[in-house]
Amino acid sequence: MNERTGRNALTIASAVALALAAAAAAAETAAPLGEVFVTAQKRAESLADIPMSVSVLPGDALERQQATSFEDLASLIPGLSFNSSTPGVTRIAMRGINTGGVASTIGIYVDDVPFGSSSGLANGAILSGDFDTFDMARVEVLRGPQGTLYGASSLGGVIKYVTNKPSTDGFEGRVQAAFEDTSGAGSGWNATGMVNLPVSDAFAIRASGFFRSNGGYTKSIGNNPIPAAQDPSVTIASTRVQNELNASESSGGRVAALIAPSERFSLELAVQAQNIQSDNASAFEVDPVTLQPVYGGRVASRYQEEPTDIDYRVYSATLNWDLGGVTLESVTSYSEFSEDLERDIAGIDGLGLGVTTAQFYTLGYSTLGTTDRPLSAILSQTTATDKFSQEFRLVSPESDRFEWLLGAYYTDEDSGINPQRFVAVEPGTNRPAADVPFVADVFLNSTYEEIALFGNATWHVTDRFDLSFGARWSENDQDADQFQRIELPAFLVGGAPGDPNVVLEGGFDNLRSSESPVTWSFSPRYEFSDTTSAYLRVATGFRPGGPNVLPPGADAPATYDSDELTNYEIGLRTGNSSGSFTLDVAAYFLDWEDIQLFQVINDFGVNANGGTAESKGLEFTATTRSGGLTLSLSGAYTDAQLTEDTDPILVGGFDGDALPFVPEWTLTLGGDYEWNAFGDATAYVGGQVAYTGERPVGFSDRVDPLDPTSARIEADAYTTVDLRTGILWDNWSLELYGRNLTDEDGITDYLSPGTFPAGAAAISIIRPRTIGLSLGVRF
């Protein structure tokens, strides 16, 4: 029996038994299932009544666990996996639905506002909206395809941030500050605050804000000098000497106004902003096979700084109007996303000319035969999406016989990668060198327009048996154009020294695609008792296709189609009548067809459809409570793999290969205990242990890169330990907490050799051991 077979011997049945025996749950859901209300189906419903797998993370539990980003949420959400090397640049997947690529498989929503690009031309897969969780009512996680109610790019599911609303009930305010110390890094701190102001019985304003500063834990040590091409004895650049290389900051806030002149009408206007700034990417060099650090620690070879600035802006107006017998809901939104980055390319052959980019610039702009003008190089890029969306819904009243929802949706997106540019800079700075042209400027613009009609209904056949069903028709039209400008020293293309630079310009436009996918869902549900129910769910989802960026007459597909996924799921929810024990478990099989993959066809790199994959597994959550004690356990088993070979050159995946960065097993065990300390003061202690199993990295990343049948490189399993203790008295709170107390180097990303000196690869890791102290007050 090999290692993988041994791991698989822990079957779904034993996982359920483990959950029942341990009597626990993943996130700290502080109420029985029947008392948890969510908007997963775009109406307020009890979680116990929803026929699909949903996790709910309450806002107060997120704050107590210091869970503010995707990295923090991963251990709390069964079946969620991620990889990231820069704050705000994260690829997320649920139930293993990940093959790489540039278009997202997870829908991100702020309340009912969709965020991010729907197309495959704006890097939506890695630029997911990583919203801070401060002042959130909860985070709802909807698994499996959500094509009926949420539409495009929700193959793996939806993550929905539900904000706290303005309230006319009374004034409320609070502030909190914390100081943190991270192993091997600089110190960090954060501050948060909110205020709810009822102006009248019909008008209220709520405002919140946050700032978080994280010290860096990688460094650059002045190694790997770059020799001049003309004279190898002359060094034109060396890596920087800098500690705390990857420090980062995140800041933002939200302002919302509620206008509610009657119980039948309300209008909420909201503005949300967030900025994520990092000084450098978090990756550091390792051996490409053993993944051990090349330079004895978290050392990154940085010739130039690699800053990344990410901005989110979301503007929305949400109307709710009870017309008598039916409610009209309208959600109007406009959102902006932008990412400005600079990447160090000094030490790589970025132009394919057999010299490093720094050598190329020095060779081209020094006096012939000399190195009198040493230069370095960066790649700069701006990626942005502006998105308008409008959704109307007609919602029936609650009924014990038949409930329905009808909706229409429209979105118009403008995206661009403008520009992507090679820039000559003075060594050691990111300051552009005077009088040196950009070698390459590339501009890519695209638009995405979609209209959709959808409906969903639940028929309560009897008091215990329901049938839910829905469908969605959509049509999307996309356009793209590209322009590029290349400027080279004349002598490199056959001219004489002193001749002017040679400029090559060109582009192509009117790249178009159009498609009209249909998705549907069907879910019977049966209540065995007041505390136990089971459901079946069959549902489909899609990710839009689009145009390929190709010159006229290119012998390659001009467009690629949407990929499709069908989910077959069975779930059970049970507990006792007092609500002191609950269990939620789901098993599923996902059939994925026409997978979108980047391939080479007749020498052109394109998005294309090819191959199939499947994912099967189980997720479970449970809770048990007794007095002030809450115990928790959650987990997921995921077996996701290709079922057909992919392109052997650029993809490198084979039938049976596990999908990348998806652990077979994740488990989280936690507990909290509260007691009366003195007077009105409450004390608590708590913590969690989270296990993440081994994960294969990219399909083509193998021990022997020349042998496609050799073993793939895997990121090791890791276990983290978090602890916390605190006291609440009057309006004050004081908490001491520690995250990743065992200082695990859990790998979050693997970057293949080719962009780092000396043939090294690189990895990014979870944040090292962090200990913090926070103080807060309510007023």
Side-chain angles (χ1 to χ4, degrees):
M1 178 182 292
N2 61 34
E3 183 181 0
R4 175 164 292 182
T5 304
R7 291 198 303 270
N8 288 344
L10 188 55
T11 62
I12 288 176
S14 64
V16 177
L18 180 63
L20 288 167
E28 296 177 11
T29 335
L33 289 174
E35 298 176 11
V36 178
F37 284 83
V38 296
T39 56
Q41 296 192 117
K42 300 198 173 181
R43 65 161 72 226
E45 297 174 289
S46 167
L47 177 60
D49 295 336
I50 295 179
M52 70 175 76
S53 180
V54 179
S55 285
V56 180
L57 307 178
D60 55 355
L62 292 172
E63 286 196 34
R64 182 171 289 189
Q65 294 193 0
Q66 310 294 323
T68 62
S69 66
F70 285 143
E71 180 178 320
D72 303 322
L73 296 179
S75 63
L76 304 176
I77 301 173
L80 176 69
S81 56
F82 78 103
N83 58 293
S84 174
S85 59
T86 302
V89 184
T90 305
R91 183 189 301 274
I92 53 175
M94 282 194 283
R95 292 184 167 178
I97 301 304
N98 174 36
T99 58
V102 293
S104 178
T105 62
I106 300 293
I108 301 295
Y109 279 72
V110 179
D111 293 320
D112 281 331
V113 176
F115 184 83
S117 172
S118 302
S119 78
L121 296 174
N123 292 336
I126 60 172
L127 298 179
S128 306
D130 194 356
F131 287 93
D132 195 276
T133 59
F134 176 68
D135 202 32
M136 293 288 175
R138 61 187 179 275
V139 175
E140 299 179 8
V141 182
L142 290 59
R143 298 183 185 84
Q146 299 293 329
T148 301
L149 289 177
Y150 293 91
S153 299
S154 58
L155 283 175
V158 166
I159 296 178
K160 189 173 185 180
Y161 296 88
V162 181
T163 62
N164 283 314
K165 309 303 181 188
S167 172
T168 59
D169 291 342
F171 176 82
E172 178 188 3
R174 60 189 177 104
V175 294
Q176 181 171 295
F179 175 83
E180 296 184 341
D181 180 74
T182 298
S183 174
S187 59
W189 65 279
N190 63 73
T192 59
M194 62 76 53
V195 62
N196 181 84
L197 180 64
V199 179
S200 69
D201 292 341
F203 182 58
I205 297 175
R206 188 182 187 99
S208 62
F210 65 90
F211 179 86
R212 306 185 192 277
S213 175
N214 297 310
Y217 51 84
T218 63
K219 61 182 178 180
S220 183
I221 60 174
N223 55 345
N224 292 306
I226 299 176
Q230 305 98 314
D231 184 355
S233 66
V234 177
T235 297
I236 59 175
S238 291
T239 61
R240 302 168 61 84
V241 178
Q242 182 179 344
N243 292 321
E244 298 187 42
L245 198 65
N246 64 323
S248 64
E249 292 181 353
S250 179
S251 60
R254 186 173 190 269
V255 178
L258 174 67
I259 305 169
S262 73
E263 293 183 355
R264 301 180 62 176
F265 180 90
S266 68
L267 174 65
E268 182 185 0
L269 305 175
V271 178
Q272 182 154 336
Q274 182 168 334
N275 303 325
I276 305 173
Q277 300 173 319
S278 54
D279 292 343
N280 281 273
S282 300
F284 57 90
E285 277 95 315
V286 296
D287 181 278
V289 175
T290 67
L291 306 189
Q292 295 302 305
V294 173
Y295 305 108
R298 300 164 186 156
V299 176
S301 296
R302 293 286 185 268
Y303 300 95
Q304 305 297 143
E305 290 187 344
E306 294 192 330
T308 300
D309 293 338
I310 293 174
D311 295 338
Y312 305 152
R313 300 291 184 268
V314 181
Y315 310 88
S316 64
T318 303
L319 178 147
N320 189 294
W321 191 1
D322 184 351
L323 301 175
V326 65
T327 298
L328 171 65
E329 298 175 348
S330 169
V331 182
T332 308
S333 70
Y334 177 76
S335 61
E336 299 174 342
F337 167 89
S338 67
E339 178 203 35
D340 293 303
L341 63 82
E342 294 178 355
R343 290 293 175 262
D344 177 9
I345 59 171
I348 67 170
D349 182 9
L351 300 170
L353 299 175
V355 294
T356 69
T357 312
Q359 289 172 330
F360 165 80
Y361 276 118
T362 300
L363 178 66
Y365 294 97
S366 293
T367 303
L368 186 63
T370 73
T371 56
D372 61 352
R373 193 177 188 187
L375 294 171
S376 191
I378 61 171
L379 169 70
S380 68
Q381 178 175 309
T382 296
T383 304
T385 294
D386 296 342
K387 182 184 187 110
F388 170 80
S389 69
Q390 173 65 59
E391 181 166 303
F392 292 108
R393 299 191 295 264
L394 292 175
V395 183
S396 72
E398 290 185 16
S399 169
D400 57 4
R401 278 294 170 256
F402 191 75
E403 297 169 322
W404 54 267
L405 177 153
L406 294 174
Y409 174 78
Y410 173 78
T411 188
D412 184 9
E413 302 175 19
D414 294 310
S415 298
I417 302 178
N418 293 324
Q420 187 179 64
R421 170 177 288 167
F422 286 82
V423 183
V425 295
E426 304 294 342
T429 77
N430 283 31
R431 184 173 62 251
D435 303 322
V436 178
F438 304 127
V439 168
D441 270 342
V442 179
F443 299 83
L444 173 62
N445 296 291
S446 62
T447 65
Y448 178 94
E449 188 175 21
E450 178 185 339
I451 186 170
L453 301 174
F454 60 92
N456 194 66
T458 299
W459 176 25
H460 302 284
V461 182
T462 70
D463 290 343
R464 294 196 177 276
F465 181 55
D466 305 335
L467 286 176
S468 296
F469 43 90
R472 185 185 191 100
W473 168 87
S474 62
E475 180 178 73
N476 68 72
D477 297 288
Q478 300 183 56
D479 292 272
D481 62 77
Q482 178 173 292
F483 173 80
Q484 55 194 21
R485 182 181 187 275
I486 299 174
E487 184 167 352
L488 297 171
F491 76 92
L492 287 178
V493 290
D499 284 354
N501 293 332
V502 175
V503 178
L504 304 173
E505 293 183 342
F508 28 93
D509 53 15
N510 295 319
L511 308 170
R512 296 177 179 174
S513 72
S514 181
E515 57 182 359
S516 301
V518 174
T519 55
W520 54 270
S521 64
F522 176 72
S523 302
R525 173 181 168 275
Y526 185 75
E527 290 186 6
F528 297 96
S529 68
D530 291 342
T531 59
T532 301
S533 64
Y535 66 86
L536 296 171
R537 183 173 188 255
V538 182
T540 64
F542 77 99
R543 177 171 48 172
N548 278 312
V549 181
L550 295 168
D555 188 14
T559 62
Y560 60 100
D561 295 331
S562 58
D563 48 2
E564 302 174 359
L565 187 143
T566 303
N567 171 60
Y568 305 91
E569 179 179 328
I570 181 172
L572 172 71
R573 293 190 175 104
T574 189
N576 57 17
S577 58
S578 68
S580 62
F581 171 72
T582 58
L583 171 67
D584 189 346
V585 60
Y588 62 87
F589 175 81
L590 305 180
D591 184 15
W592 195 3
E593 297 181 348
D594 296 328
I595 297 173
Q596 293 177 12
L597 297 166
F598 189 76
Q599 301 183 23
V600 173
I601 300 178
N602 294 325
D603 297 324
F604 290 99
V606 296
N607 288 311
N609 301 96
T612 58
E614 64 182 30
S615 178
K616 53 184 178 292
L618 172 140
E619 302 131 356
F620 56 89
T621 65
T623 53
T624 184
R625 303 173 186 84
S626 178
L629 176 66
T630 299
L631 296 178
S632 65
L633 175 72
S634 73
Y637 167 75
T638 308
D639 179 12
Q641 58 184 282
L642 294 173
T643 52
E644 289 184 16
D645 294 347
T646 65
D647 185 289
I649 299 175
L650 279 186
V651 181
F654 296 89
D655 185 359
D657 277 355
L659 301 187
F661 265 95
V662 177
E664 275 191 317
W665 280 100
T666 58
L667 293 168
T668 300
L669 173 66
D672 275 271
Y673 180 66
E674 292 189 1
W675 71 97
N676 180 261
F678 56 85
D680 293 332
T682 300
Y684 63 88
V685 294
Q688 69 175 34
V689 179
Y691 169 80
T692 300
E694 294 179 347
R695 292 132 294 140
V697 295
F699 290 120
S700 60
D701 293 304
R702 300 183 179 273
V703 174
D704 182 356
L706 301 179
D707 180 4
T709 64
S710 71
R712 290 168 65 192
I713 296 170
E714 289 194 338
D716 289 340
Y718 63 94
T719 301
T720 59
V721 177
D722 298 348
L723 295 176
R724 56 190 173 271
T725 183
I727 189 168
L728 311 172
W729 79 102
D730 293 332
N731 294 325
W732 293 87
S733 65
L734 179 68
E735 181 177 66
L736 176 67
Y737 58 89
R739 300 196 303 269
N740 189 16
L741 289 176
T742 53
D743 206 16
E744 289 281 329
D745 286 346
I747 295 174
T748 62
D749 205 1
Y750 175 84
L751 307 176
S752 304
T755 58
F756 305 97
I763 62 171
S764 295
I765 61 172
I766 61 176
R767 191 158 189 82
R769 180 177 59 246
T770 299
I771 297 175
L773 181 68
S774 71
L775 176 67
V777 61
R778 295 177 179 270
F779 50 87

